[in-house]
Amino acid sequence: EALLEEVKVFADGAPQLDDVTLVLLRRLPEAEGLVRRASFPRSFDSLEALFSFLAEAMDAEGIAGDAIAANGQPLRHTVDFIAEELFTNMVKYNAGGTGEITVELGRRGNGLWCAIIDPDSDEFDVTAAPDVDVTAGAESRRPGGLGIHLSRRLADGLEYDYSHRRS
């Protein structure tokens, strides 16, 4: 009512020639922050639950199943691949660690971020792992490192933080 009264005052007695339409807009802050968080037992058996969690979190954010990542690949496949690679490395190389591995998924502007947190680990900086020579023949390559190599190529960025036995 107050808005309509202000319109009448603004019109200053001029005849109304059409309907009066009010459009109210509210500017929301840019979507940012934590979307979801879940913890998983330190086991390869947790992978299906991890994939389900990631799919449900992306569904909750309205990220379509056919969304394409900046790298041109299907976004969900990219997220699943990188999460599986980092999670399985934590399980395989830190089987004696205590506590469940936590996965967080959030938005930053139009982007998506995922954090995988091991609460009890020795330091292993995945960003410092050497690149793999993908042109070398199988006979001259040592096993290992290809998953991290591919993860670094698929992600827009890969960061590592370590303090107080927490990776």
Side-chain angles (χ1 to χ4, degrees), residues 42-91:
R42 186 182 301 275
S43 167
F44 296 122
D45 294 336
S46 297
L47 287 173
E48 286 306 314
L50 171 63
F51 296 141
S52 293
F53 161 75
L54 293 170
E56 289 168 13
M58 286 188 266
D59 285 344
E61 275 299 293
I63 298 170
D66 60 354
I68 302 298
N71 62 22
Q73 300 300 314
L75 177 63
R76 290 184 181 216
H77 293 226
T78 298
V79 172
D80 283 351
F81 178 86
I82 295 170
E84 178 183 20
E85 173 62 24
L86 298 177
F87 185 89
T88 57
N89 271 283
M90 289 176 175
V91 171

Side-chain angles (χ1 to χ4, degrees), residues 71 120-121 126 165:
N71 62 22
D120 179 33
S121 69
V126 294
R165 295 202 44 79

